[in-house]
Amino acid sequence: MKMKTYQYDVAVIGGGPAGLTAALSAARHGSKVIILERNDYLGGNAVSGLPFLGFLDKQGRQVIGGIAQEMMDALTELGMCSGHNRCPLHNSVTVFHPDIFKVIAMKKCQEEGIHVLLHCELVDVNIENRRITQVSVMGKGMRADIKASVFIDGTGDGDVAYLAGCSYEKGQADTGLMQPPTLMFSLCGFDEGKFFDYLEEHPEDLKPAESMQVSKGYDVPYFKSHPSYVFLGLRNKLATLKEEGKNPLSRDTLIYINSVNPGQIYVNTTRILNFDGTDLEELTRGEQEGMEQIMQLMKLLKNEIPGFENSYISSINPTMGVRETRRFSGVKRLVIDDVVKGYIPADTIALGSYKVDIHSATDDSTILTDLEGPYGIPLGCLISNEVDGLMLSGRNISMDAYSLGSARVMPTCMAIGEAAGVCAALSVERGILPNEVPYEDVVTLLKEDNAILSI
C-alpha cells in the first residue's frame, strides 16, 4: 500500500459548505491548511440544486455575511445567482447555479494556497493524551496520514468526532428518530407558464400544509416576481391522486426550486422514512428507494400535472441530502429556548434566523415554525469538550434536535464554518487550544471579515 504523511496547521475534514468556509477563513488568517473531501468536488449539498435559505430573517434583514455572501457575489458577477428574494414561507430564497458553485469553491481554495485532497474517505483518528494528533484517509489504494495542530470536523455526520470517541446525540430526545433525507434531481422541459395558469385556476393547491405558517403573498404573482423562489404545494391535488390510486409517494406536497436556467427546476420531493444516515446499509437503501421514488414522481408529474407534460430528468444527484445525524458535545450547547427567544449572547460567532423546519421521520408531514428574529450561536458550540484540538463545523455542532431544525441550513452552516476557521487559526498562531482562544478575538476578526453578528 502506498502511504503519505502530511503536516499542516489546520486540517479540515469535509468540503461541504461548513468545511469550505472553515478552510478559507483559517487560510486567510495565516494557517497552512489542508481540506479533505470524499467526493470529486467541493461544495457538498450546495451543489445539489438546493437554494440557500436563511440569508434574511423574517423581517427581511440580512443575517449572514462574510464568505457565504462573498460566494454569492462571485456567482452574481457571472450571472449565476439571482440574489436574495424575500419569501412568505421560507423568509428568503437564494437561487444559484450549483455547478458554477463548484468551480468558484475550488478556485478560492487554490487562491488561498489550500491543499485540496479529493476522493478520500476518513478511516482513522489518532488521540494521544486526550488530544487529536492525526487523521487518516484512504483512496485509490493510498493511505494518507494528516498531522495538524487543529482539526475541524466538517463531515456533517461528525465522522471525525465519532472515530475520536466523542459522545453524541441523534434524533429527537424522546424517540431518537431523525429527519428523513432527500435524493434531489433536476428536470428540464418544464413549462412554468402553464403550471402557473393551473395554480391560478386552482388556488387550493397553493396552500403548502395545515401546520405551516405562511405570510400573505404566497401566490402566483409572488412566484412571477423574482427568479429566486421555492414552490411548495399541490397538497390538494396529490391527496386526490392518492385517493384515486395514482400517487404512490409518501409526500403531501411537491417541492421544487427554480433555476437560473430557463425550463430547468430542481425537485426536492423524495423522502426516505425511518432512516439513519450513519449506517452503510441504510445509506444504500436510501439511494435505492430515492431512485425508485424519482421514477414514480416523474410519471405522476408528466401524466397528471399541467406544465410537466414534456419534462424529463436531466440529472440525479450523486448523493442524498441528509438533514440530520449526529450532534456532538461541546463547551456550550445551543438550545431551542434560546433559538425561539432570539437570544444573542456576547460570544455569538454566527446568527441563525431560518424557521424551525422539521420533516417527519415517519410520515409525509413537515412542520415549519416561525422565528420573529435571529438568534446567536455561541463559539463554544463549535469546540469539543472531550477531545482537545477538535472543532465542529456545520450540523454536527453542539445543539439539541429542535435547534438543528433551524441551524442546519447552508448559509448558517457557512457562517459557523467561517468562525471555526478563525478560531483554529488563532489557536495555531498563539500555540493554545481552541477552547483557550478568547471569544472576543474571534468576534473581532469575524466582524473585520464582514460577518454579521448583530442586528
Side-chain angles (χ1 to χ4, degrees):
M1 180 191 302
K2 187 177 180 180
M3 300 184 66
K4 284 190 174 182
T5 300
Y6 299 94
Q7 179 76 53
Y8 283 88
D9 296 328
V10 176
V12 180
I13 302 87
L20 173 65
T21 52
L24 288 171
S25 62
R28 289 175 178 180
H29 288 283
S31 287
K32 184 181 177 185
V33 178
I34 186 171
I35 185 168
L36 311 164
E37 169 56 42
R38 64 182 178 181
N39 292 313
D40 59 355
Y41 57 87
L42 297 173
N45 276 333
V47 307
S48 67
L50 285 169
F52 276 177
L53 306 175
F55 264 103
L56 310 182
D57 72 357
K58 184 180 178 181
Q59 316 306 323
R61 299 170 296 188
Q62 185 160 349
V63 298
I64 303 292
I67 295 174
Q69 182 59 51
E70 177 187 324
M71 293 292 294
M72 297 301 98
D73 291 342
L75 286 160
T76 300
E77 288 177 6
L78 297 173
M80 297 297 172
C81 176
S82 302
H84 310 315
N85 183 29
R86 294 191 67 180
C87 175
L89 182 60
H90 298 97
N91 294 343
S92 71
V93 175
T94 308
V95 169
F96 56 93
H97 197 303
D99 289 311
I100 306 304
F101 187 100
K102 292 181 185 178
V103 175
I104 293 173
M106 185 65 75
K107 181 180 179 182
K108 286 190 177 293
C109 284
Q110 291 173 320
E111 289 173 347
E112 300 299 337
I114 296 169
H115 183 177
V116 178
L117 193 61
L118 305 175
H119 299 284
C120 55
E121 190 75 39
L122 178 71
V123 295
D124 195 18
V125 174
N126 188 61
I127 306 292
E128 296 178 7
N129 298 322
R130 183 186 153 102
R131 182 159 188 170
I132 181 171
T133 60
Q134 176 181 295
V135 300
S136 299
V137 296
M138 285 195 68
K140 309 305 292 181
M142 184 184 91
R143 176 185 172 109
D145 296 330
I146 296 92
K147 301 178 185 294
S149 298
V150 178
F151 295 81
I152 300 177
D153 188 337
T155 63
D157 301 318
D159 292 340
V160 179
Y162 174 75
L163 289 176
C166 297
S167 57
Y168 61 91
E169 299 172 315
K170 286 198 300 186
Q172 303 296 326
D174 53 345
T175 65
L177 293 174
M178 291 171 279
Q179 295 191 53
T182 292
L183 183 59
M184 293 275 295
F185 70 100
S186 67
L187 61 82
C188 291
F190 172 57
D191 188 335
E192 184 182 66
K194 190 172 182 178
F195 181 62
F196 287 168
D197 289 344
Y198 166 81
L199 292 176
E200 288 179 327
E201 295 172 4
H202 299 274
E204 69 275 9
D205 270 325
L206 280 164
K207 186 173 179 61
E210 294 292 340
S211 60
M212 293 185 184
Q213 301 171 345
V214 184
S215 303
K216 289 182 180 180
Y218 189 75
D219 51 24
V220 172
Y222 160 72
F223 296 126
K224 291 181 176 180
S225 69
H226 197 282
S228 280
Y229 73 83
V230 174
F231 173 79
L232 196 155
L234 290 189
R235 186 168 177 266
N236 184 72
K237 180 68 172 179
L238 291 176
T240 300
L241 292 172
K242 178 79 76 173
E243 293 173 1
E244 296 173 353
K246 298 178 181 178
N247 176 13
L249 300 172
S250 297
R251 285 304 302 264
D252 61 348
T253 53
L254 171 73
I255 305 175
Y256 79 76
I257 300 99
N258 195 25
S259 167
V260 296
N261 300 318
Q264 181 184 35
I265 59 175
Y266 298 95
V267 184
N268 182 19
T269 299
T270 67
R271 175 175 284 190
I272 315 301
L273 301 177
N274 300 300
F275 175 86
D276 183 348
T278 65
D279 184 282
L280 287 177
E281 296 286 354
E282 286 289 281
L283 287 167
T284 303
R285 174 179 74 86
E287 300 286 358
Q288 293 168 337
E289 289 188 15
M291 292 179 191
E292 182 179 355
Q293 289 182 28
I294 287 172
M295 299 307 294
Q296 293 172 337
L297 178 59
M298 279 303 303
K299 181 179 179 180
L300 182 152
L301 292 173
K302 288 175 68 69
N303 292 341
E304 305 292 342
I305 310 300
F308 287 87
E309 295 90 343
N310 298 316
S311 63
Y312 58 92
I313 296 171
S314 55
S315 67
I316 297 176
N317 273 17
T319 56
M320 284 183 299
V322 177
R323 293 182 172 90
E324 177 179 7
T325 52
R326 309 180 187 107
R327 293 168 281 109
F328 288 84
S329 179
V331 173
K332 286 196 171 183
R333 188 169 187 256
L334 182 66
V335 296
I336 191 61
D337 285 348
D338 289 339
V339 168
V340 172
K341 292 175 183 176
Y343 177 54
I344 302 177
D347 55 347
T348 290
I349 46 75
L351 295 181
S353 69
Y354 182 59
K355 299 185 178 189
V356 180
D357 181 353
I358 298 179
H359 296 240
S360 172
T362 58
D363 58 38
D364 61 2
S365 65
T366 301
I367 297 174
L368 278 176
T369 304
D370 265 0
L371 298 177
E372 294 303 317
Y375 56 89
I377 299 171
L379 176 62
C381 297
L382 285 56
I383 302 172
S384 171
N385 65 353
E386 297 176 330
V387 173
D388 293 332
L390 175 61
M391 299 198 68
L392 309 165
S393 182
R395 61 178 172 84
N396 58 15
I397 67 169
S398 181
M399 58 182 164
D400 61 30
Y402 290 102
S403 299
L404 170 76
S406 170
R408 64 180 173 81
V409 292
M410 290 183 282
T412 307
C413 287
M414 293 179 81
I416 290 169
E418 183 168 358
V422 169
C423 184
L426 289 173
S427 170
V428 171
E429 178 187 333
R430 300 176 184 181
I432 58 178
L433 295 173
N435 63 0
E436 296 171 331
V437 175
Y439 75 81
E440 296 93 342
D441 296 348
V442 177
V443 167
T444 296
L445 290 181
L446 285 171
K447 289 180 176 177
E448 290 176 0
D449 294 338
N450 298 315
I452 300 173
L453 303 181
S454 62
I455 293 296

